[in-house]
Every structure is written in structure tokens, then in C-alpha cells.
Amino acid sequence: MKKIVFALMLTATPLLADESTEALRKEFEAYKATAEARLQSIEKREGRSEAATTGESWKRTMLGFEFHGYFRAGLGANGEGDAMEAFKAPNAEAKYRLGNEAETYIEATFQQNFLSRELMDDDVDFFTKLTFAYVTPTSNNNTFDTTTSIREAYAGARGVWNAKKEAMFWAGNRFYEHIDIHINDFFFRDLAGFGGGVDDVLLGDDLKFAMAWLGGTIDELSSSGTTYENDYHFNKNMVDLRLYDMDAGIGKLALNADIAYFGGDDFSPTNKVESIAGWAVGAILSSALNENTANRFSVQYGVGAAENFKTVMTAPKGIDLPTTPVIN
């Protein structure tokens, strides 16, 4: 009798497994059909205008979880066999790269896209993104400090504004307008920081509008991933307005205007930074020379708290700060 019962159990187990597998298969097929239908709807919208595609492309949000990363690391020595030092011109804002980077720098980005049926049925994309950074200078053998920081931590939602489905609302800490000349790691427009706003508001067929309130990120790392050379960097408040993807015949034109204010800081009995306001305007023309080469031309002008085109204020280059620095 025991053998009969045992045999029945062996034959019943695969039947249960087959039923469970079939149920999972049907659920997956239903999810796939919903996702494909939504993708077709998105492609129709994007067919009307390519302006709907951004860094958080709608097509990419079909993945629930995404990982992106960047790192640089190398070994170098000077002519005497000591640890390498990155070459940098006196008082320059940035150094050149490729063989001239005396640190290991890592960025790891984790993005979770929320794909519930309710959101998908309403054509809403909601996501959260975290970017962590890690740097170990190699210019000194035994005296360096390893530094970690949170470079991004924000949430975004697209499709919640029925009249402008392509618009994306965001809030948190973000690489916002983080534009560099890559060969020398110089960020000529660097509005990375805390805040919130809306991107990709379509005006007409192609022109887009964005607005954001921003306050600078204060940690030990500069935009290029190296540690700050001095301790004098301060947060400020900015309002950024942009018009972009404007057809200029030879490329796409972006216009921006910024208003900035810093309220001053008495960060020790002998150190004071005065309050100051400022504004800045700029234009960036991006042109594709061929399918592998592009050119970017930028003109910027800023005064006061907005003169450095960043969300933080830093001490001027080439100046030895007195015991009581006054930065304005």
C-alpha cells in the first residue's frame, strides 16, 4: 500500500507543476500583450515628434530595473618613480583626461521603473534613480582619503499631465544640465543639485520647455569626480528656465536663463561670506556634422551669484584666501 501511495505522489507532482507553469505562462502572455499595446501607443506619439525621447526614454521603461555605470582607473608614475600627478595648468578649472587622471573614480546608477497595470493603462511612467560615486586618489601613496557620495537620488513621473503627456516631473538630487567638454573634464554648465521641476513640455511640434528650482549638492566631490581643492564651496538657490530642441537650420538650439541668490554664511567667528544675487543667460547650438561626429557651440554670460554657471559658489581660482574670506 505504501508503494501505491508513493507512486501516486510522484505522478501528482508534475501535474501540479504543469498547472502552475501554465498559469504563470498565461499571466506572462497577458502582461506581454499589455506592454506591447502600450509600446505601440508610445511609438505613435513619438512618431508625431522625436522630442518625446529623453534620457529617460519611454521605450527603456519597459524594463523594471536598470543598472548603468561608469568608471576610470589606471596606474601611473612620474619620472622619479613616485606616484603620478595629474597635469593641470595654473588656475585652470579642469585638467585633461586620457592618461592624466590620478584617481580611481566609479559611478553606479540604479533605476527602478514601476510598471503596475494601473500606471501602464493610464500611460504613466514612474521611476526612482540612485547614483553612487566612489573615488580613491592615486596621486599620494599613503595620505589619501577614499570618498563616497550620493550623486543622484530622485524620482520622476511622465504622463501625469494629460494635456502634455510627454512632460516629465521630477524631484530630488539630480545631474541636471550636467554638460561638459569631455576631453578635459570641464563642466561649463553644471546645474547638478537638489530641487525639482518639469522637463520636456512640448510647445508646438518640436520646441520644448523646462523649468526647475535648484540648490547645489554639497559633498567632497567636484563635478569631475575629484575632491575639492579647498573648503570654500557654498550652496545657493537658483531658478532655471530653458527652451530647447529649437530647429536652427544647422542644428538644435537651446536657450537658458537663470536667477541665483546666496544668503551669506558666517561659518566661523572669523570667516564670513556675504550675501549676493545674480543672473545668467546662455545659448547652446548642437550640430551633427555626420553620423559619427557632432559639434557643440556655447555662449554664456553671468554676473554675481550666477557667474560660474553652477549650483554652488566656490572660491576664485588663483587667490589665496585670507583668514576672513569675503566671497562675492
Side-chain angles (χ1 to χ4, degrees):
M1 186 65 181
K2 290 182 179 179
K3 291 182 179 180
I4 296 175
V5 173
F6 185 63
L8 289 174
M9 290 177 65
L10 286 175
T11 56
T13 300
L15 288 175
L16 292 174
D18 288 344
E19 292 176 0
S20 177
T21 302
E22 180 64 18
L24 288 173
R25 187 189 67 78
K26 289 181 178 179
E27 184 176 351
F28 175 77
E29 290 296 332
Y31 175 84
K32 181 180 177 182
T34 303
E36 288 177 349
R38 183 173 181 233
L39 183 56
Q40 291 176 2
S41 174
I42 291 169
E43 287 174 341
K44 286 181 181 179
R45 258 196 307 272
E46 290 181 340
R48 182 193 65 196
S49 170
E50 293 182 359
T53 59
T54 63
E56 285 75 34
S57 171
W58 283 32
K59 292 182 180 179
R60 276 176 42 210
T61 59
M62 303 316 294
L63 295 174
F65 175 77
E66 301 177 32
F67 172 77
H68 309 275
Y70 163 84
F71 77 89
R72 60 174 183 260
L75 174 65
N78 62 21
E80 299 177 354
D82 294 328
M84 73 173 291
E85 294 284 346
F87 170 77
K88 187 176 180 181
N91 302 324
E93 289 282 344
K95 66 183 187 313
Y96 278 89
R97 310 192 72 170
L98 301 182
N100 188 45
E101 293 178 308
E103 70 274 333
T104 294
Y105 178 67
I106 299 171
E107 282 181 3
T109 298
F110 305 89
Q111 179 169 325
Q112 178 65 51
N113 302 306
F114 296 88
L115 303 175
S116 69
R117 291 187 183 279
E118 291 79 7
L119 291 177
M120 295 178 70
D121 290 343
D122 199 30
D123 282 342
V124 173
D125 286 325
F126 178 74
F127 67 91
T128 58
K129 180 181 286 189
L130 296 174
T131 299
F132 299 92
Y134 173 94
V135 63
T136 299
T138 56
S139 56
N140 299 299
N141 288 328
N142 298 304
T143 60
F144 63 80
D145 291 324
T146 295
T147 303
T148 59
S149 69
I150 299 176
R151 311 238 76 179
E152 290 188 295
Y154 74 99
R158 192 186 299 275
V160 296
W161 184 1
N162 289 331
K164 301 287 183 180
K165 275 289 189 179
E166 66 285 337
M168 193 270 283
F169 292 86
W170 67 275
N173 180 16
R174 181 186 177 192
F175 280 150
Y176 184 84
E177 280 292 276
H178 198 57
I179 307 174
D180 71 334
I181 301 173
H182 195 68
I183 190 62
N184 69 347
D185 216 10
F186 174 59
F187 288 81
F188 63 90
R189 179 163 162 78
D190 183 15
L191 303 189
F194 298 97
V198 59
D199 296 351
D200 299 335
V201 179
L202 203 56
L203 306 177
D205 292 331
D206 298 304
L207 183 63
K208 290 189 288 186
F209 170 75
M211 178 177 63
W213 168 83
L214 297 154
T217 56
I218 298 298
D219 58 33
E220 295 183 9
L221 297 181
S222 66
S223 296
S224 63
T226 57
T227 55
Y228 278 108
E229 295 180 359
N230 58 61
D231 293 330
Y232 300 110
H233 50 283
F234 304 93
N235 196 352
K236 62 186 178 186
N237 288 284
M238 296 186 69
V239 174
D240 176 72
L241 304 173
R242 289 187 294 135
L243 289 172
Y244 53 108
D245 276 4
M246 187 185 308
D247 189 0
I250 59 173
K252 295 292 186 178
L253 180 65
L255 304 176
N256 62 270
D258 301 291
I259 300 174
Y261 177 74
F262 174 69
D265 191 3
D266 296 323
F267 57 95
S268 78
T270 58
N271 291 276
K272 178 181 179 181
V273 184
E274 296 179 350
S275 60
I276 185 173
W279 57 269
V281 292
I284 301 174
L285 176 64
S286 300
S287 304
L289 304 181
N290 55 51
E291 57 181 40
N292 297 316
T293 308
N295 181 70
R296 180 185 286 149
F297 177 79
S298 175
V299 177
Q300 299 184 128
Y301 181 81
V303 298
E307 67 178 358
N308 64 353
F309 313 106
K310 302 178 185 293
T311 52
V312 295
M313 293 175 56
T314 56
K317 298 291 183 180
I319 296 178
D320 292 328
L321 291 174
T323 304
T324 307
V326 176
I327 305 174
N328 53 32

